[in-house]
């Protein structure tokens, strides 16, 4: 249960500081997932939780809005956003009118977004609990991470499944650069394929690199301009929640 997880005291190994120093041991492997300090929580009797992470501007909030449009009528859903100093993403979603404003909670992380989704997930679990109290029988909570680099992944104690969103504007090198987001997320989304030709990104290279880095884990390429309701990602989410 979330209550037991959040009471747990977490101490990080000294050589693995998560201040902005990012000190790693000499043999640090940047493609390996870091140890998770929280156990996965049992999913029975609570909302399924999907985390959405990825670099700033890749299209996380746009994907959250798309999923609300696609699934809002069939699932009892709510959203938690994470921003460093503002509530910008929550404000955007409220203004976009994709979901009842009461169903959107904003967490201000005050620090590196990575911290609030992995190292101390308390503020996010509190936000999820507020939503579950407000909307009994909630099926799904989508948690958007603050924009971070390629290393940000969610604790399994916070997100049951996670989506990592990159976009073509970063260049077709991004998937082969790896990092735990690209290699271990349950779903990798390569977004903004409508502008690939403008930035010279080769989609064949991006998708084949992504599959090579991820083995059997799924990859979806999409454009939220061409398909504003993100049908492929919505199908993936729907099947998880139904199975969940
Ligand atoms: N051309 C194009 N723009 C997109 C797409 N998805 C998102 N955007 C735009 O990219 C910008 C950043 O998106 P946002 O969702 O705020 O990114 P976030 O920082 O990851 O949450 C916004 O101006 C979006 O409208 C897409 O598929 N194609
Ligand atoms: Mg955002």
């Amino acid at each position: 249960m979330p209550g037991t997880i959040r009471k747990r005291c977490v101490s990080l190994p000294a050589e693995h500081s998560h201040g902005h120093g990012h000190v790693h041991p000499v043999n640090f492997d940047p493609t390996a997932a870091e140890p998770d300090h929280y156990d996965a929580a049992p999913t029975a009797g609570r909302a399924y939780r999907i985390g959405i992470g990825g670099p700033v501007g890749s299209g996380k909030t746009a994907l959250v809005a798309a999923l609300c449009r696609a699934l809002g009528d069939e699932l009892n859903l709510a959203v938690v956003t994470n921003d460093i100093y503002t509530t910008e993403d929550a404000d955007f979603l409220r203004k976009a009118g994709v979901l009842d404003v009461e169903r959107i909670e904003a967490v201000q992380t005050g620090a590196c977004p990575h911290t609030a989704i992995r190292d101390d997930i308390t503020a996010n679990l509190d936000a999820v609990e507020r939503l579950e109290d407000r909307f009994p029988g909630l099926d799904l909570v989508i948690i958007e991470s603050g924009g971070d680099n390629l290393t940000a992944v969610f604790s399994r104690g916070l997100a049951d499944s996670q989506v990592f969103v990159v976009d073509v504007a970063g260049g077709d090198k991004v998937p082969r650069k790896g990092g735990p987001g690209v290699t271990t997320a349950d779903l990798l989304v390569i977004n903004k394929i409508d502008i690939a030709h403008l930035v010279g990104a080769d989609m064949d290279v991006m998708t084949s690199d992504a599959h090579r880095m991820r083995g059997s884990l799924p990859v979806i390429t999409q454009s939220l301009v061409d398909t504003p309701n993100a049908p492929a990602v919505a199908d993936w989410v729907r099947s998880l929640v139904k199975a969940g």
Side-chain angles (χ1 to χ4, degrees), residues 57 59-62 82-83 89 144-147:
K60 297 180 296 300
T61 307
N82 281 249
D83 272 309
D89 286 349
E144 181 189 343
S145 167

Side-chain angles (χ1 to χ4, degrees), residues 74-200:
E74 64 186 274
L75 295 177
N76 184 355
L77 72 86
V79 169
V80 178
T81 64
N82 281 249
D83 272 309
I84 302 178
Y85 298 121
T86 66
T87 56
E88 179 137 354
D89 286 349
D91 297 342
F92 174 88
L93 291 170
R94 289 182 186 119
K95 275 199 206 118
V98 291
L99 205 60
D100 173 2
V101 293
E102 293 286 299
R103 290 180 180 265
I104 302 168
E105 281 278 333
V107 170
Q108 274 174 265
T109 62
C112 179
H114 191 161
T115 311
I117 60 163
R118 269 199 67 88
D119 301 338
D120 183 354
I121 58 178
T122 317
N124 271 293
L125 287 176
D126 284 347
V128 171
E129 270 182 21
R130 282 195 295 278
L131 290 164
E132 285 179 328
D133 289 348
R134 209 177 296 148
F135 298 100
L138 206 56
D139 297 310
L140 171 66
V141 180
I142 302 172
I143 304 159
E144 181 189 343
S145 167
D148 207 336
N149 50 33
L150 296 174
T151 66
V153 289
F154 285 80
S155 165
R156 292 280 165 189
L158 177 59
D160 302 307
S161 295
Q162 46 194 303
V163 182
F164 199 74
V165 183
V166 297
D167 71 358
V168 302
D172 54 26
K173 65 185 182 299
V174 170
R176 70 175 167 270
K177 285 198 161 192
V182 167
T183 57
T184 70
D186 301 292
L187 174 66
L188 178 69
V189 173
I190 302 177
N191 193 33
K192 307 193 193 179
I193 59 172
D194 54 294
I195 59 167
H197 64 289
L198 297 176
V199 296

